[in-house]
């Protein structure tokens, strides 16, 4: 899977499309969670983007990913 991020090859709109595709969901989900867990505090753009996407789409897949976030900072983004 390609790297995520402003400097990576996948941007948020592409990430969201991959989340909704049944053949790529599992892989992109794992990449997102690995990215958020390994870069605590550095990937706020991703957390905020996923929250925005969830509020606009009510995507169950995005909700599942957001519910797995353990970091307090990430939960702050989700609650604001």
């Amino acid at each position: 899977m390609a790297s995520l991020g402003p400097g990576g090859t996948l941007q948020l709109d592409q990430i969201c499309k991959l989340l909704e595709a049944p053949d790529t969901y599992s892989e992109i989900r794992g990449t997102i969670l690995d990215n958020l867990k390994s870069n605590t505090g550095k990937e706020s753009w991703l957390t905020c983007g996923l929250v925005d996407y969830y509020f606009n789409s009510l995507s169950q897949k995005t909700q599942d990913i957001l519910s797995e976030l353990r970091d307090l900072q990430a939960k702050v983004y989700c609650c604001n």
Side-chain angles (χ1 to χ4, degrees):
M1 179 57 62
S3 63
L4 305 178
T9 56
L10 288 178
Q11 299 302 316
L12 188 60
D13 60 336
Q14 295 168 314
I15 292 167
C16 294
K17 287 177 186 175
L18 291 171
L19 275 175
E20 299 306 323
D23 56 333
T24 57
Y25 170 71
S26 181
E27 189 175 353
I28 193 68
R29 178 185 172 278
T31 302
I32 290 170
L33 290 173
D34 288 346
N35 191 278
L36 290 173
K37 290 175 183 177
S38 67
N39 294 309
T40 304
K42 297 179 184 174
E43 300 299 336
S44 61
W45 69 269
L46 181 56
T47 305
C48 290
L50 289 172
V51 170
D52 286 343
Y53 178 69
Y54 171 71
F55 283 131
N56 287 316
S57 68
L58 298 178
S59 166
Q60 182 64 45
K61 294 175 180 180
T62 305
Q63 182 183 20
D64 292 343
I65 291 171
L66 292 171
S67 69
E68 291 190 40
L69 299 180
R70 304 281 184 237
D71 182 69
L72 180 60
Q73 183 68 24
K75 292 193 183 286
V76 169
Y77 290 123
C78 293
C79 296
N80 287 331

